[in-house]
Amino acid sequence: MIIEDNAQAIGAEWNGQKTGSLGDAAGFSFYPGKNLGALGDGGAVTTNDDRLAATIRSLANYGSNKKYINDFKGMNSRLDELQAAFLSVKLKYLDADNQKRREIARFYLENITHPEITLPAIPASATVFGSHVWHLFVIRTAHRDKLQQYLTEQGIQTLIHYPVPPHRQQAYREYRNLPLPVTEKIHHEVLSLPMSPVLTIEEAETVVNALNRFKTDS
Ligand SMILES: *Cc1c(COP(=O)(O)O)cnc(C)c1O
């Protein structure tokens, strides 16, 4: 069974097919900061399997199909109707918003030229301007902390997705001693640049200019 985490990929395609329809089931997040965000928390599961759909529906409703009868140890994870109403309006704008993200991504990819900054690699199967939805635009550099501080001083907010890898979290301490050198290296190097459908090209240009002026030795 393949379960997709589609939380950052709503609207994306892989070989012409929408993500969220590639596996047996997929999880979507409507957290406000996501590409399709509610005005509060929300999420959804997609599947073509009727039995699985019935079980998931039940799990989200205390494991119950029939009032006060519980078939599973479930939870309360229903999408409330107000959020569903906001989302059905916002869904109409998803493709256009994702297109704006692509324009920002294209601008970053074509204009960030700093030799010590690695730009996201685009697999040949996912043309930048076609199928990627750029929830985040993540660059890498060995000078990450210094670069973040420099950008903050220039009035440019960046975030780190994510600062601590799962096997270094207290919650997964049983995996603490796994040798995962690539994971650990990446967690020291990643930096997410401003990315949003409401970012203007002028604002992206300010980011690019600041990045290209960054001095690693000062
Ligand atoms: C946001 C996110 C989640 C969690 O979504 P919630 O709606 O907060 O439960 C899971 N996986 C990825 C990749 C995410 O970006």
Side-chain angles (χ1 to χ4, degrees):
M1 175 158 296
I2 295 177
I3 298 176
E4 291 172 76
D5 182 341
N6 202 43
Q8 298 191 1
I10 189 166
E13 288 178 3
W14 188 76
N15 285 340
Q17 192 180 340
K18 286 267 191 267
T19 64
S21 71
L22 304 170
D24 297 286
F28 289 71
S29 172
F30 305 133
Y31 176 79
K34 294 292 159 72
N35 290 38
L36 178 61
L39 274 70
D41 269 302
V45 176
T46 51
T47 179
N48 273 337
D49 180 328
D50 289 338
R51 245 185 82 217
L52 189 57
T55 306
I56 292 164
R57 252 186 221 111
S58 169
L59 284 171
N61 186 48
Y62 323 116
S64 168
N65 292 312
K66 198 173 163 202
K67 207 165 191 187
Y68 308 132
I69 305 295
N70 302 84
D71 299 325
F72 307 102
K73 297 184 191 81
M75 66 205 85
N76 175 356
S77 189
R78 296 176 303 241
L79 182 67
D80 76 68
E81 296 194 4
L82 216 45
Q83 296 305 337
F86 293 135
L87 288 164
S88 50
V89 174
K90 290 188 73 189
L91 181 59
K92 299 187 185 91
Y93 302 94
L94 175 65
D95 288 341
D97 281 355
N98 282 342
Q99 191 54 34
K100 289 185 196 147
R101 289 176 183 269
R102 288 187 192 108
E103 280 156 25
I104 300 293
R106 182 207 288 259
F107 188 81
Y108 282 156
L109 289 168
E110 288 176 352
N111 293 289
I112 298 169
T113 55
H114 197 291
E116 291 184 73
I117 292 175
T118 306
L119 295 170
I122 311 303
S125 63
T127 59
V128 192
F129 313 120
S131 59
H132 198 312
V133 295
W134 301 101
H135 174 62
L136 301 174
F137 189 97
V138 182
I139 60 169
R140 285 174 57 189
T141 175
H143 310 279
R144 195 267 312 276
D145 292 344
K146 196 169 176 181
L147 177 59
Q148 185 175 38
Q149 195 193 332
Y150 160 82
L151 290 172
T152 302
E153 285 159 10
Q154 307 279 312
I156 297 167
Q157 186 191 37
T158 55
L159 296 169
I160 296 169
H161 298 96
Y162 296 89
V164 182
H167 72 292
R168 292 288 172 177
Q169 300 283 357
Q170 179 68 8
Y172 291 106
R173 56 193 174 281
E174 64 270 34
Y175 301 117
R176 172 141 304 175
N177 294 321
L178 286 181
L180 297 169
V182 176
T183 298
E184 278 163 32
K185 181 168 188 272
I186 287 171
H187 278 76
H188 283 115
E189 295 187 351
V190 289
L191 191 65
S192 301
L193 299 186
M195 171 54 78
S196 143
V198 299
L199 201 70
T200 64
I201 291 292
E202 290 69 38
E203 287 166 330
E205 196 170 10
T206 306
V207 176
V208 166
N209 290 339
L211 281 171
N212 289 341
R213 281 197 310 264
F214 174 57
K215 299 214 175 16
T216 55
D217 54 5
S218 61

